[in-house]
Amino acid sequence: MTTTHYADAIAQVQTPLVVNQAIAENTYLMRVSAPHIAKTFRPGQFVMIRIAGMDAPLIGRAFAIYDVHNGEDGTPEFIDLIYLRKGALTLPLSAAPVGTQVSLWGPLGNSFIDDSFLGEPHSRQPCDRLIMAVGGIGQTPMLVTGRHALTNGWAGRVEMIYGARRASLLAGVDDFRAAGFALTLCTDDGSEGQQARVPDVLADRLTQLRSSSPEERIRILTCGPEIMMEKVAEVGARFGAEVLVSMETPMACGIGICFSCVAKIRLEDVASEHVAPGQCEWDYKRTCVEGPIFNACEVCW
């Protein structure tokens, strides 16, 4: 059962940019003061952003929360967001100086760290090994997620397989290493790490792990291009590992009223014998309030 996460406890704030700087090719990190969001969000959730006073684009854009920093009083105050400079919002945002006012609302959506999107209120069961398989800008929700897994005991070990087209597009590598993740990099052109794709690197790693520790409980988190997530889901299923996906469907409102961010999610009450091989009976689910996190086995790719 998919649970709906209505946005009835969010904060909407207008706040200046504290940091807005390039950290990789066409990739920027912005930091804003948003204490309510910093204190209440859960790993995997996101916020919607607009540049204050700008009518174009009229609608906001969804950014996953990348990191949190404390204020002078020692409590969470600032949130970091990473974005790719490529569209109607992010192009002017990348040129905005520190002090520019932005509007944001959140936290939104469900989380990697609990089972609430399956209708269960309790925390997710611990795993022996958490593997985060990400590509492109899909690394953005993983820093706080992996760190939370280590510090709160719901994963014994945390690994990250991070891929991009070329080395210059890899962003946050030092942060992931500093967080204690076992990091494997891969690029399409071989300019950094292995010359390979994320699903192939994941398959090789799972082959090693299943050979040495066949009973190890492995959970995989993935975010990035949809074709990559589909292949990661196939690899995880082949090796008997649970896979959770963070869908990156374009959003307009972020609060479930516009139905622009729907994903095809499998219907649980349809008998499998009525479904043709390679197909599934599905319904549209809103990524903003019924996601963005889904079990990979529920997604009709």
Side-chain angles (χ1 to χ4, degrees), residues 13 45 124-125 130 137 164 173 190 208 230 233 242 248 277:
V13 299
Q45 291 187 298
R124 177 166 299 285
Q125 292 298 309
L130 182 71
I137 201 69
V173 169
Q208 296 172 355
E230 180 181 1
E242 179 188 35
E248 291 193 319

Side-chain angles (χ1 to χ4, degrees), residues 146-161:
R147 187 188 292 144
H148 187 283
L150 288 174
T151 57
N152 290 274
W154 62 274
R157 303 173 183 84
V158 174
E159 301 183 16
M160 185 173 188
I161 300 170

Side-chain angles (χ1 to χ4, degrees), residues 278-299:
Q279 299 180 2
C280 63
E281 294 290 335
W282 54 269
D283 193 7
Y284 283 122
K285 299 294 183 182
R286 294 163 292 176
T287 301
C288 64
V289 293
E290 291 157 316
I293 316 301
F294 294 96
N295 262 341
C297 62
E298 295 182 332
V299 180

Side-chain angles (χ1 to χ4, degrees), residues 66-140:
Y66 176 70
D67 204 357
V68 174
H69 302 276
N70 291 340
E72 292 182 357
D73 63 356
T75 63
E77 178 180 350
F78 302 98
I79 61 172
D80 285 355
L81 311 167
I82 289 181
Y83 63 94
L84 196 61
R85 179 181 181 271
K86 67 174 184 177
L89 175 75
T90 53
L91 283 170
L93 182 60
S94 67
V98 168
T100 299
Q101 295 285 321
V102 296
S103 298
L104 65 152
W105 54 102
L108 298 166
N110 60 11
S111 170
F112 279 122
I113 68 171
D114 60 51
D115 283 337
S116 59
F117 61 94
L118 298 176
E120 301 291 340
H122 54 74
S123 296
R124 177 166 299 285
Q125 292 298 309
C127 61
D128 298 313
R129 188 181 304 269
L130 182 71
I131 302 178
M132 301 179 293
V134 301
I137 201 69
Q139 89 283 20
T140 52

